Amino acid sequence: MKKFSQIFVISYCFSFFLFQTIFAGTVVDKFKIEGIISIASTKALQSELLKKLDIKILDLNLKKTDSGWPVLRIEYDPDIISKNKIETVIGEIEDPAGHKYKVHKGPLIANANLIDEENQAMTILGDMTMDLKQVNNPTVDFDSSIKRGKDVFIKNCAKCHGLNGNGYGVVAHGFATWPRQLWAWYKADSAADSYLYWIIENGKSDMPPWGLVLSEDVRWDLINYIKTIKKPEEN
Amino acid sequence: MVGGLTIPLLSVIPSSNDAHGAVFQTPKDLENLTELERIHLPKISLPPVVEDGASASIVCSVDHPMDEDHYIKSIQIMNFADPIVIKGKFFLTPVNGEAYLSTQIRLSGGEGTVWVIAECNKHGKWAASKKVTVAAGGC
Amino acid sequence: MAEKIKPPRIRVSRRIKKNKVFKVKVKFDHPSFTGLAMADDTTEPVFNRAKPVTFIRNMLVYYGDELVSRLSLSSGIADDPLFTFKLKATKEAPVKIVFIDNFGKRWEASKEIKFKG
């Protein structure tokens, strides 16, 4: 038994050493990519990168990212290639239409704050005040409602609020206001229903009035699903 | 070049009134509008087929008085099928004299429905829509 | 790019009569762009972010000293847009139109309103 333990420990140490030798120093970095404008763009970028650099491309996530930008995950050895070198090479590659790619830098939302003149104008000519009414959630089967709500969310809401509800959806940059982070309503009780119902139905600021195209039942499915969205760190 | 832009009034009656919920008022019978419906319902002028979705001309108007105590507060243009749903919201005052806005919007390719909401300071929000087919998406 | 953008240009009806409604057209050559591309249509949402976004955020209309209209905009508006709206000729005063884009840059133009006829 003692001998068996010794063999096991030696084997384990050897395997660990071998693993460390083969994968020593490799790191995985994420690069936010500007310039992916077609399906051909994705292929061109990846094939050109592999031709020019000794790296491993793990994946290219176009939309389901925390920032809204496409993310390329690359595994490389920093002793051989620097991160700057990878960024430079990405910037030198052209897509099939002749446009160069670029690694996106800067803040997630680059839009400037409203200037004083805009704030004053919005006070005079702005959105209506919220006329909240008491509503009662009619849902009986919450599990199936949440499941339906998730599908509705992915189809209609995720593009602005992000798939994980962080507000950095793919199109979130195109508005004056930043879409709300939805985990504010995680496990919210029925007191939140009036607000959620009103805002989804009527919209406000850059939020569209979904009451025009989504039925009342569907809106309740959405509300039930929103209350299940956790802040990612808590997942 | 300012001016010279002509947009045919292809539609004055909205093609759809299937809005959900009572918060957005739509006419009960499009063929026989009541006086209240007639003065509140937004008119949408948008070609049924748009060649270039990057710049689709749209004219929105409401036949409503713009009196000091009774006027159209806003006109909002949307397409829920597009990535950017809200195109713009025009906030008006009685000084505008008429509730009217002409602009050019981006529409994604295929079939869609453009919605316009007019909000009256006394009679709430009124919705109208117009179906549109876009040959080349412009988002 | 933004520093090359020229101020907007305003055109109004030729004959403006007191207390009558007149048209105001304003052309602003701004490279509004959603920054989106349709790279993959197999899953929702169908668009991915391809370029930084640029768009006009607000158009403010002043008649004399009074703010009379505000157009809240998004990147869903075409580039180089022409906006047309109406005003009631209540006074002889300048119409000033201000544009602000998503970078907080501001442009303005004005046109003096004089009654004729």
Side-chain angles (χ1 to χ4, degrees), chain A residues 118-175:
Chain A
E118 286 174 296
N119 279 320
Q120 285 164 15
M122 287 163 77
T123 310
I124 301 165
L125 293 174
D127 274 311
M128 62 217 148
T129 51
M130 296 175 76
D131 179 24
L132 298 186
K133 289 184 175 63
Q134 183 62 43
V135 289
N136 293 315
N137 192 337
T139 309
V140 178
D141 181 355
F142 276 87
D143 287 345
S144 55
S145 172
I146 288 166
K147 204 176 165 191
R148 289 192 301 270
K150 185 176 183 181
D151 292 340
V152 177
F153 179 85
I154 291 170
K155 187 166 187 274
N156 299 296
C157 316
K159 59 187 174 187
C160 298
H161 290 282
L163 279 161
N164 65 0
N166 69 355
Y168 293 114
V170 169
V171 306
H173 308 230
F175 310 116

Side-chain angles (χ1 to χ4, degrees), chain A residues 79-231:
Chain A
D79 292 335
I80 301 169
I81 304 164
S82 69
K83 190 175 180 181
N84 280 346
K85 174 71 178 169
I86 296 172
E87 289 179 355
T88 306
V89 171
I90 289 172
E92 288 167 352
I93 297 172
E94 287 185 353
D95 75 358
H99 304 115
K100 285 187 174 170
Y101 301 97
K102 187 180 169 187
V103 174
H104 179 75
K105 301 274 185 178
L108 286 172
I109 298 283
N111 296 340
N113 291 332
L114 296 169
I115 65 173
D116 289 346
E117 188 176 11
E118 286 174 296
N119 279 320
Q120 285 164 15
M122 287 163 77
T123 310
I124 301 165
L125 293 174
D127 274 311
M128 62 217 148
T129 51
M130 296 175 76
D131 179 24
L132 298 186
K133 289 184 175 63
Q134 183 62 43
V135 289
N136 293 315
N137 192 337
T139 309
V140 178
D141 181 355
F142 276 87
D143 287 345
S144 55
S145 172
I146 288 166
K147 204 176 165 191
R148 289 192 301 270
K150 185 176 183 181
D151 292 340
V152 177
F153 179 85
I154 291 170
K155 187 166 187 274
N156 299 296
C157 316
K159 59 187 174 187
C160 298
H161 290 282
L163 279 161
N164 65 0
N166 69 355
Y168 293 114
V170 169
V171 306
H173 308 230
F175 310 116
T177 49
W178 180 37
R180 190 76 185 261
Q181 294 183 310
L182 296 178
W183 48 70
W185 290 283
Y186 177 57
K187 286 188 175 175
D189 60 20
S190 58
D193 288 350
S194 295
Y195 177 83
L196 287 168
Y197 190 88
W198 191 95
I199 203 86
I200 292 171
E201 183 178 48
N202 293 279
K204 198 177 184 197
S205 187
D206 291 312
M207 166 94 172
W210 289 100
L212 273 177
V213 290
L214 299 180
S215 69
E216 190 173 342
D217 291 346
V218 172
R219 299 200 302 267
W220 278 114
D221 290 342
L222 209 43
I223 290 169
N224 293 331
Y225 173 68
I226 286 168
K227 289 181 178 181
T228 69
I229 297 175
K230 287 182 193 174
K231 195 174 181 181

Side-chain angles (χ1 to χ4, degrees), chain C residues 75-94:
Chain C
S75 57
I77 288 286
D79 56 348
D80 304 340
L82 167 70
F83 300 104
T84 308
F85 57 93
K86 296 186 180 181
L87 286 175
K88 190 175 178 184
T90 54
K91 57 193 169 189
E92 291 192 321

Side-chain angles (χ1 to χ4, degrees), chain B residues 88-102:
Chain B
K89 188 169 184 179
F90 190 37
F91 294 91
L92 304 109
T93 59
V95 183
N96 284 99
E98 284 179 29
Y100 176 97
L101 175 69
S102 161

Side-chain angles (χ1 to χ4, degrees), chain C residues 44-73:
Chain C
E44 296 287 349
V46 296
F47 289 84
N48 71 275
R49 176 143 298 285
K51 300 276 184 188
V53 68
T54 175
F55 65 100
I56 306 162
R57 192 162 68 185
N58 267 305
M59 179 182 94
L60 311 177
V61 182
Y62 300 88
Y63 188 14
D65 295 329
E66 187 187 0
L67 176 75
V68 292
S69 302
R70 179 172 81 87
L71 181 51
S72 167
L73 296 163

Side-chain angles (χ1 to χ4, degrees), chain A residues 12-127:
Chain A
Y12 179 81
C13 290
F14 180 74
S15 304
F16 184 76
F17 177 74
L18 193 68
F19 182 86
Q20 286 290 307
T21 307
I22 294 170
F23 295 97
T26 59
V27 293
V28 175
D29 257 323
K30 294 176 181 177
F31 298 85
K32 284 181 262 182
I33 305 294
E34 289 184 21
I36 296 175
I37 56 170
S38 67
I39 294 169
S41 303
T42 62
K43 291 173 184 163
L45 174 64
Q46 294 179 84
S47 61
E48 282 298 306
L49 256 182
L50 291 174
K51 271 186 215 168
K52 294 185 175 186
L53 295 172
D54 183 18
I55 55 166
K56 185 181 177 188
I57 295 174
L58 299 179
D59 51 35
L60 173 58
N61 185 353
L62 283 177
K63 294 168 293 191
K64 295 175 181 176
T65 63
D66 290 346
S67 64
W69 286 97
V71 168
L72 186 67
R73 280 199 314 142
I74 294 175
E75 186 177 348
Y76 63 98
D77 185 344
D79 292 335
I80 301 169
I81 304 164
S82 69
K83 190 175 180 181
N84 280 346
K85 174 71 178 169
I86 296 172
E87 289 179 355
T88 306
V89 171
I90 289 172
E92 288 167 352
I93 297 172
E94 287 185 353
D95 75 358
H99 304 115
K100 285 187 174 170
Y101 301 97
K102 187 180 169 187
V103 174
H104 179 75
K105 301 274 185 178
L108 286 172
I109 298 283
N111 296 340
N113 291 332
L114 296 169
I115 65 173
D116 289 346
E117 188 176 11
E118 286 174 296
N119 279 320
Q120 285 164 15
M122 287 163 77
T123 310
I124 301 165
L125 293 174
D127 274 311

Side-chain angles (χ1 to χ4, degrees), chain B residues 65-71 93-95 121-122, chain C residues 66 88 90:
Chain B
M66 293 295 276
D67 300 333
E68 280 298 321
D69 60 345
H70 188 201
Y71 62 98
T93 59
V95 183
N121 71 324
K122 280 189 176 174
Chain C
E66 187 187 0
K88 190 175 178 184
T90 54

